[in-house]
Amino acid sequence: MAEDSAAGVTGGQSGEADARRPARGDGGGLFGTSIGYLPFAGEPRGHPTHLAGIPDRIADDCRRAEAAGCAGVDLLAYRATDADPLDLVRAARAAITGRLVVAGSITNTDQIQALASAGADAFTIGSAAFDGSLQPHAGTLRSQLAPVVGL
């Protein structure tokens, strides 16, 4: 697992459990909360961050994170330098039962659909929502996010 890490919120709204994932004894939460720790799998490098690591490395990191009690992992799949992004997502999904969040360089709905098909539970979008990549000429942030969240 990477030295750098990310934290995320797990579970549904109002603390509802995600029916797709089996419940864990401690829930992976921090101090009895629904806030879970999701370290990066692989080796994040530089700024903007790129991800070093092949599918076997990603899977090993995921298993270590789960064994350590983490709620899941954060994977910079589309910033991968050593492997196909979706191969990394599939390797991570096969290795853990916890949350699999994909972050970084997600710029369109085709990528989001591919992530869902490969087994990701969630994703983050940053720059693409602000720079117009999601929907060129759409204008507002709400308009940019509409195709992603069904607004």
Side-chain angles (χ1 to χ4, degrees):
M1 277 180 303
E3 301 268 335
D4 294 338
S5 59
V9 176
T10 63
Q13 293 181 346
S14 304
E16 296 170 9
D18 184 337
R20 296 174 297 158
R21 299 279 169 249
R24 295 173 46 143
D26 64 3
L30 297 175
F31 305 109
T33 71
S34 63
I35 298 171
Y37 177 63
L38 290 87
F40 285 119
E43 186 178 341
R45 295 181 179 170
H47 185 76
T49 309
H50 294 285
L51 178 67
I54 61 173
D56 287 343
R57 160 77 189 271
I58 300 303
D60 288 345
D61 285 355
C62 289
R63 285 188 284 272
R64 275 194 293 280
E66 191 160 79
C70 297
V73 297
D74 190 346
L75 184 63
L76 298 168
Y78 283 111
R79 293 190 178 172
T81 58
D82 301 331
D84 177 78
L86 297 176
D87 287 345
L88 297 180
V89 174
R90 286 187 284 273
R93 176 75 290 145
I96 60 169
T97 58
R99 296 294 242 168
L100 175 55
V101 177
V102 178
S105 299
I106 299 169
T107 61
N108 62 63
T109 55
D110 290 340
Q111 287 176 312
I112 295 165
Q113 290 298 324
L115 289 172
S117 294
D121 293 306
F123 62 94
T124 65
I125 290 183
S127 300
F130 296 105
D131 70 10
S133 299
L134 290 171
Q135 275 214 139
H137 313 294
T140 68
L141 179 59
R142 181 182 179 97
S143 297
Q144 286 296 312
L145 294 175
V148 177
V149 297
L151 295 175

